[in-house]
Amino acid sequence: MSLQAATPLQAARLEIGWKQTQTIHALRQAANDESVSIATIRSLKTMLSRWENGHDYPDAVGQRLLCRIYGRTPKELGFVREDQGSLVLARVAPAVAPEMVTYFRNVFTEHLRADNLMGPHHLVDVVRAQTTLLDQMLPNARGGVRQDLLMLAFRYNELAGWLYQDAGNPESAMRYTDRSMEYALEIGEIRETAYALMRKADIAADLEKPDRVIGLTDAALRDPSRVLPRITALILRLRGRAYASLGNVSECARALDAAQAEGGRPYDAPDDLTAYCTPAYIGMEAASCWSKLGRF
């Protein structure tokens, strides 16, 4: 390692003569090639400096992309170390036990309360750190514990996405929502998959990409008979927003009417994922659409 380098990661960049801007460009190009979302150029500049100086640690996606652009192994970039003759993670996750599932569930509930009390800015770093911890724990989890942790990883990443969205950072919001989507696909249930697609559409709506919203909601409702009523209502209200942005009054009205009908359907099964989707919530969304269309 170069004498000027603080970490093996920094040494890898210096050895090929790259500036940080070149590494950031290569990271974003590699992410684009793999169809994954990563931080903005501005955020990556700060993150890369912290990684190279040993003040922070890239997540699993970041590690994979860094290994790819530098052509190095995780060990060569300092992501693993030799410890008493055995190769171990540089940051070792705690042993996976059923009690960890209970811990993460309880903390998640407290995070939801904290979000209501103090907003996203004070909470997002904590939730982001726990998504990384879950990433590290899952490879060693088995059976029912693994399934429970998969669900928690889905929920924590989705929450991180929401917190970033609420804080006005749609790029990071989409990155974590993409990660929640990956976990939803691994879980293999329509509820989680449809919900993750809905959340991606919600962020796309904030980015004022109505065509993207319509495409994502089409995907979420590809098998509508299997999608729970409240999730269907959340998807349809986004279609209403998209059509309002496009100035299509008839399609907006059709989507909003369908959303109200779905949101009002009786549903007795416990579902903490969509408890916020009440008729009043859909009504508020409809009012926003009509305001955008000038139909007060």
Side-chain angles (χ1 to χ4, degrees), residues 1-2 4-12 50-55 77-78:
M1 180 167 56
S2 168
Q4 291 78 27
T7 60
L9 181 62
Q10 188 179 61
R50 290 182 61 81
W51 296 341
E52 288 192 346
N53 288 288
H55 297 150
L77 292 183

Side-chain angles (χ1 to χ4, degrees), residues 57-73:
Y57 197 70
D59 61 17
V61 173
Q63 290 182 31
R64 185 177 74 249
L65 295 177
L66 287 163
C67 289
R68 172 177 172 171
I69 67 172
Y70 288 141
R72 306 289 181 91
T73 65

Side-chain angles (χ1 to χ4, degrees), residues 157-178:
N157 279 281
E158 188 276 322
L159 176 60
W162 157 247
L163 292 171
Y164 274 118
Q165 183 183 5
D166 197 28
N169 186 339
E171 292 84 5
S172 292
M174 190 65 85
R175 180 158 60 99
Y176 279 90
T177 305
D178 283 341

Side-chain angles (χ1 to χ4, degrees), residues 39-104:
T40 62
I41 292 174
R42 183 177 179 181
S43 296
L44 278 172
K45 184 177 180 181
T46 301
M47 294 163 68
L48 182 60
S49 293
R50 290 182 61 81
W51 296 341
E52 288 192 346
N53 288 288
H55 297 150
D56 205 350
Y57 197 70
D59 61 17
V61 173
Q63 290 182 31
R64 185 177 74 249
L65 295 177
L66 287 163
C67 289
R68 172 177 172 171
I69 67 172
Y70 288 141
R72 306 289 181 91
T73 65
K75 179 183 175 183
E76 289 170 336
L77 292 183
F79 302 146
V80 294
R81 71 169 188 269
E82 294 289 344
D83 185 11
Q84 297 179 346
S86 62
L87 194 64
V88 297
L89 287 175
R91 291 189 178 184
V92 181
V96 180
E99 290 77 13
M100 293 302 296
V101 173
T102 302
Y103 161 77
F104 276 107

Side-chain angles (χ1 to χ4, degrees), residues 254-268:
R254 183 177 294 111
L256 293 175
D257 287 346
Q260 286 282 12
E262 289 292 326
R265 286 174 57 187
Y267 182 70
D268 297 329

Side-chain angles (χ1 to χ4, degrees), residues 105-171:
R105 282 176 177 161
N106 291 341
V107 172
F108 185 82
T109 300
E110 294 304 316
H111 286 333
L112 296 180
R113 292 174 181 163
D115 181 33
N116 290 328
L117 289 171
M118 59 185 181
H121 294 89
H122 299 289
L123 188 60
V124 67
D125 287 341
V126 177
V127 175
R128 184 185 64 190
Q130 289 177 316
T131 66
T132 301
L133 180 56
L134 281 162
D135 283 343
Q136 294 172 350
M137 293 174 66
L138 272 163
N140 296 319
R142 299 290 183 271
V145 170
R146 177 175 175 79
Q147 288 303 115
D148 289 339
L149 288 180
L150 279 174
M151 181 61 71
L152 285 161
F154 163 74
R155 295 298 305 274
Y156 270 88
N157 279 281
E158 188 276 322
L159 176 60
W162 157 247
L163 292 171
Y164 274 118
Q165 183 183 5
D166 197 28
N169 186 339
E171 292 84 5

